[in-house]
Each structure stands twice: as C-alpha cells, then as structure tokens.
Amino acid sequence: MKDIFSIDNEYVAHTYGRFPVALVKGKGADIWDTEGKKYIDLGSGIAVNIFGIADDEWQAAVTEQLGKLQHTSNLYYTEPCAKLAELLCKRTSMKKVFYGNSGAEANECAIKAARLYSYNKYGEGRSTIITLKNSFHGRTITTLSATGQDVFHTKFGPFTEGFVYCEADNTEQLRQLVEENNCCAIMFEVVQGEGGVHVLSKEFVAEIAKLAKEKDLITIVDEVQTGNGRTGKLYGYMNYDIQPDVVTTAKGLGGGLPIGVCMLGEKMKDVFTPGTHGSTFGGNPVCCAGAYSILSRIDEKLMSEVAEKSAYIRSELEDATGVESVSGMGLMLGIETQRPAGDIIKDAMEQGVLVLSAKTKVRLLPPLNISMEDLKTAIAILKEVIAR
Ligand SMILES: *Cc1c(COP(=O)(O)O)cnc(C)c1O
C-alpha cells in the first residue's frame, strides 16, 4: 500500500508546503502522528481548536446535532442558527449576524456590507476601503486585494479595485488617505496575525474611530484570528476603546468546524435585504451547534487563565537566550528569534512541539485551555531549541 505522503503528493493540489508528519488523533493539546509520536500543539490548527482536540462538550454538542439535522438550506429556520446569532449579539454589542463558512467569506460579506451602506446613502463611487500594510484578509480575489501585502498582488489579476493601504500606526498617512480617496470604510486587525503578530497602538485605533465618526466611514474589524478569546478578551477590539460597525470572525469560533460570521452593528444592521447576499452552507446547524458550545464557554474564568498563561510564556521567553523580542496579546504571541523561525519550527517538531511562523517570527497560538503542565513542558523545549 502506498503511504499517505505519496498519495497526498500525487493527488492533492500543491498549494501547501506540508511538514513530513501525518496526524491521526489527539486530546486537548496533545496530538499523535502515524508513528505513534506525541506532540504538544502550540498552534491549534492556526487558532482554530480553541479547546484543543476532541473536547468532550464540543463533541457532544456536535454529535447530538449531527444525529438530528445536518443541513437544511437557508430557506428554513433552525434552532442552532438562531441561538448562535443571539449569543453572538448578546456577548458583543452587534445587532445582526451573517453566516458564511470561512474567514475570507466573512470578510467578503463585510466588504459588500460597507459598500452597500455607502451606495444606499451616498450613491455610486464612494467605495474605497482603507486597509493596512501587512494585513491579511483572505485568499479570494477580493480579500487578496484587501490584503496589504504586495506579494499577494501578482499573477491572479485583474484584482478587485477600491483598496488603498495605510502603514499600521501611521495616523498621518491615515488622515491623508481619507482626504485623498472616496472612502466608505476602514478595515483592520487589532493584532496583525499573518503580518507578524503586530499589535496596533491605542492611538492609531482611536484615530481610526475618530475619522470614521467624522466621515461616516464603516469600521470593519477582522477578528478571524484575534476573535473568540484569543487575545484575552472575547473579541480583540474589546482591548480598545472602540465600537466597530462590522466585526468578522471565523477560525476559533467553530472549535474546528468551518464557520465564518460577519456581525453587523447598529448602523449596519438593516443593510442587507433578501437576495443581496447568501451562502448555501452558511448557518449550517452542526457548525452552529459546535460554535454555540465554544462561545458559551469563553467566560471570565477562561480569560483570566489566558492572561496567566500569556504572562507565563512572556516571562519564560522575554529574556531567554536567542530571543530578540516577544509581541502579541493573550495567547497570540510572536517571538523574534536570532535563529531563523523555520529552523526553530523544525527542531521543535523533532522534540515533539508544534509551533507556527508569522513573517520572521515564531508564532504561538495554543489551545486556550492548554494545561499548565503541557505548556511548561512545551515552553521548556522551545526555549532549548531557540537557544541552540
Ligand atoms: C486566516 C485569516 C483569514 C482567512 O480565513 P480563511 O478561513 O482561511 O478564509 C482572514 N483574516 C485573518 C485575520 C486571518 O487570520
């Protein structure tokens, strides 16, 4: 029989550079490969498995729904879809939810919503959206356009028009871009994930909110990665003194099932009318039941654990040999190391610890409920590997 690697390499499109590891099962932050080797997971499948692998409560919620009704189409009502939307709105101050299946789709919805709001109020042409350099908003043609990194703006053109890019934390340039363009919205991550775990300054975010208010610009916060407890608050924007018009999230929300949501605030809640947007799988009852289980358990107690674990990681790594600096918030951390991040990822994997990269940094996105025991073991290994 051919092995998994060779079958995959032959038949799966080569859009990813995979590590030579085939994973089979896990529990919490522990994962095993086909050779029986155990890893401690500090990546959560890129900020997805909030409660780790095979969490009991989440599994029960998902399998219960799976046994009842797996899909209906959006022509009918279902309880998980309604209840999750209610919980999302009650736990934020957003008013309505649109369901998609991924981060990119959530952002597509946000972009359509902002442009539709502006079209309805001001007519055609007022459609430019300011996004930030080093942002990441997804892989569709439009969300690639929104992504402020030149490397993504080649080969697939023509790209969607109507995006201009501002340097993160450059308030001067932000004001200038607002003046020079016919803008309808400003879109940003409060902590840039793929762009190198960069935390936006309070001053810059305050300036975004101020300009948006003055010019009736829609503020869109992309919480695909920062959302669902990752930064130590339910949503990353809650670390700042702002009330966004649109919040998107995906990754961690479903606890491992595909779901993306675009939440609309007071100003935006009635922008969509029947026929203006849609998704076949959006609001899938199994995904919504899983997400409800996750969201209802992101509470004060978990958030204080996130803060504690974050402080622990920082205190261990900040002055460690081979570490230049640590950035980020909560359990979304970037470590600038003297050795290349790629080498550290490889060496850590050999020692049984899974970590990620973001630009030149080693990125940590552990499950929020990782045990202190697992975390201590993993950080000790990581420290040793970084110091080599
Ligand atoms: C991952 C990510 C996306 C894209 O999400 P997909 O589910 O892969 O489409 C968008 N924005 C941010 C901030 C992300 O981290």
Side-chain angles (χ1 to χ4, degrees):
M1 203 185 78
K2 282 203 266 182
D3 65 21
I4 296 169
F5 300 156
S6 64
I7 298 171
D8 188 295
N9 286 333
E10 186 167 351
Y11 294 108
V12 177
H14 290 179
T15 56
Y16 307 103
R18 295 200 209 276
F19 294 105
V21 171
L23 300 171
V24 279
K25 62 167 188 183
K27 192 73 191 168
D30 300 339
I31 304 189
W32 286 266
D33 71 9
T34 43
E35 310 288 302
K37 178 172 172 175
K38 185 187 135 180
Y39 302 86
I40 299 175
D41 180 19
L42 300 185
S44 309
I46 317 186
V48 168
N49 303 323
I50 295 261
F51 290 109
I53 309 283
D55 170 72
D56 291 328
E57 271 187 58
W58 172 84
Q59 257 192 88
V62 169
T63 50
E64 193 197 338
Q65 184 55 42
L66 201 53
K68 283 190 199 159
L69 188 68
Q70 84 276 24
H71 174 80
T72 58
S73 90
N74 278 303
L75 299 172
Y76 312 100
Y77 293 89
T78 70
E79 184 178 299
C81 173
K83 280 183 63 183
L84 177 62
E86 180 187 37
L87 187 60
L88 280 164
C89 290
K90 286 206 162 142
R91 300 215 46 200
T92 59
S93 20
M94 308 309 281
K95 302 296 178 200
K96 278 195 161 55
V97 171
F98 175 84
Y99 288 112
N101 314 284
S102 66
E105 276 177 279
N107 287 335
E108 286 272 346
C109 176
I111 291 162
K112 284 179 83 172
R115 288 189 172 168
L116 185 58
Y117 171 87
S118 189
Y119 177 88
N120 288 343
K121 197 160 167 185
Y122 301 99
E124 216 149 316
R126 187 181 177 278
S127 54
T128 300
I129 297 175
I130 298 174
T131 64
L132 302 187
K133 295 200 172 133
N134 275 327
S135 57
F136 184 78
H137 297 299
R139 297 287 194 159
T140 63
I141 291 286
T142 295
T143 56
L144 281 177
S145 282
T147 293
Q149 301 187 47
D150 292 337
V151 289
F152 289 109
H153 299 159
T154 60
K155 298 179 191 164
F156 303 106
F159 288 91
T160 308
E161 290 174 21
F163 293 92
V164 293
Y165 314 103
C166 179
E167 249 171 56
D169 297 332
N170 188 336
T171 49
E172 195 55 45
Q173 191 183 20
L174 180 69
R175 273 187 232 115
Q176 200 178 333
L177 286 170
V178 168
E179 281 313 313
E180 288 170 358
N181 295 279
N182 212 355
C183 294
C184 68
I186 305 174
M187 180 172 183
F188 57 100
E189 305 148 86
V190 290
V191 183
Q192 295 185 317
E194 304 305 312
V197 198
H198 173 74
V199 180
L200 292 192
S201 74
K202 296 245 151 115
E203 297 72 31
F204 185 67
V205 173
E207 186 67 20
I208 292 176
K210 181 169 159 267
L211 280 170
K213 195 164 178 220
E214 277 170 29
K215 308 271 183 188
D216 194 18
L217 305 173
I218 299 304
T219 49
I220 303 169
V221 185
D222 177 346
E223 300 254 11
V224 172
Q225 192 161 150
T226 52
N228 315 300
R230 182 56 54 193
T231 66
K233 301 262 188 201
L234 182 58
Y235 289 99
Y237 77 83
M238 295 170 177
N239 295 290
Y240 295 79
D241 188 21
I242 53 165
Q243 187 49 60
D245 298 309
V246 178
V247 175
T248 60
T249 194
K251 290 197 167 92
L253 181 62
L257 287 175
I259 182 170
V261 299
C262 176
M263 297 185 254
L264 304 166
E266 182 62 39
K267 200 154 128 174
M268 301 294 286
K269 65 180 186 201
D270 296 321
V271 71
F272 287 122
T273 49
T276 46
H277 199 37
S279 161
T280 297
F281 286 119
N284 173 277
V286 177
C287 297
C288 286
Y292 191 91
S293 162
I294 297 290
L295 189 65
S296 60
R297 286 184 288 147
I298 304 173
D299 54 15
E300 285 306 315
K301 184 171 163 287
L302 182 70
M303 291 302 90
S304 69
E305 279 175 37
V306 167
E308 240 169 76
K309 289 168 194 170
S310 179
Y312 171 76
I313 297 172
R314 277 181 179 275
S315 72
E316 284 295 306
L317 293 180
E318 256 160 8
D319 300 316
T321 310
V323 172
E324 297 282 358
S325 61
V326 180
S327 66
M329 238 187 220
L331 289 177
M332 179 173 180
L333 295 169
I335 308 153
E336 191 75 63
T337 51
Q338 282 160 6
R339 294 178 64 211
D343 292 354
I344 287 162
I345 292 172
K346 227 172 104 244
D347 292 348
M349 189 176 295
E350 236 167 66
Q351 300 298 312
V353 175
L354 302 179
V355 296
L356 306 163
S357 68
K359 290 264 188 286
T360 59
K361 294 180 184 171
V362 174
R363 180 172 37 156
L364 307 184
L365 297 164
L368 304 186
N369 68 342
I370 186 172
S371 68
M372 265 327 276
E373 195 192 338
D374 265 347
L375 189 62
K376 281 184 177 163
T377 308
I379 294 298
I381 290 170
L382 189 60
K383 241 171 122 166
E384 185 275 313
V385 164
I386 290 172
R388 281 181 193 176

